[in-house]
Amino acid sequence: MVDVLGISVGATLVLIVVALHFSRGTEWQPAEDISEKLLERRAATVPETDFPEPMNRSIGGGAAAAGAVAAGGEAGGELEEGEAEAADDDDPSAIPDDEAETFEIEFVKEGQTIEIKENETVLDAGEDEGWDLPYACRQGQCISCAGHITDGGHSEDYIKHHTNEMLGDEEMSEGYTLTCVAYPISDFSIETGESP
């Protein structure tokens, strides 16, 4: 019934594999982590800059935010009367929820139409629905979150960009928008993940 030769051959092979596994010099050794050395070498080749890069990702980028220095180059100055209100006036997210108007936005690729308040970005509203929409910086400094408004015309006929630093008038006239800083001002349809 039981083949003694088969059992002995199997046991011999198992013993050989175990012996080879534990023999000196056959075990796997992880490679040395050279990431810090590589970063230091790359940093040495990048020239210092006098301005902060987006999200301050630059090597040697400025230590202060762009708006942190008061006029005349002195830090710590106070705002003139009325300056704080002017800064808040152009930020749609500052509109109270009970005063915000609601618009119907159709997400073409997602196949749904949702209501978005004028104080919420298109990206945030889509994420609230549980959709995995593309984005990177969330500050209008890249085009990872770009979308295309399919209703025709200039994108700013339908949305208000807050801090758009990447799209020019030519792209916006073709209907492109940055969903991370796009606040609706009208009903429209959008295809997410579409860049110029």
Side-chain angles (χ1 to χ4, degrees), residues 96-112:
D97 272 347
D98 58 342
E99 296 176 17
E101 194 173 341
T102 303
F103 301 99
E104 288 190 358
I105 311 303
E106 177 189 8
F107 286 77
V108 177
K109 291 182 179 179
E110 289 74 16
Q112 290 189 22

Side-chain angles (χ1 to χ4, degrees), residues 34-118:
I34 61 166
S35 59
E36 284 299 318
K37 292 178 188 174
L38 183 62
L39 287 175
E40 288 174 12
R41 189 170 17 159
R42 286 185 179 171
T45 64
V46 176
E48 292 289 324
T49 60
D50 293 331
F51 58 92
E53 295 287 334
M55 302 293 290
N56 204 18
R57 292 183 200 152
S58 69
I59 297 172
V69 179
E74 296 179 22
E78 293 185 21
L79 290 176
E80 294 293 323
E81 187 175 326
E83 281 187 65
E85 292 84 16
D88 290 337
D89 286 346
D90 68 339
D91 185 2
S93 66
I95 300 171
D97 272 347
D98 58 342
E99 296 176 17
E101 194 173 341
T102 303
F103 301 99
E104 288 190 358
I105 311 303
E106 177 189 8
F107 286 77
V108 177
K109 291 182 179 179
E110 289 74 16
Q112 290 189 22
T113 299
I114 62 172
E115 291 186 345
I116 304 178
K117 291 189 174 191
E118 66 180 326

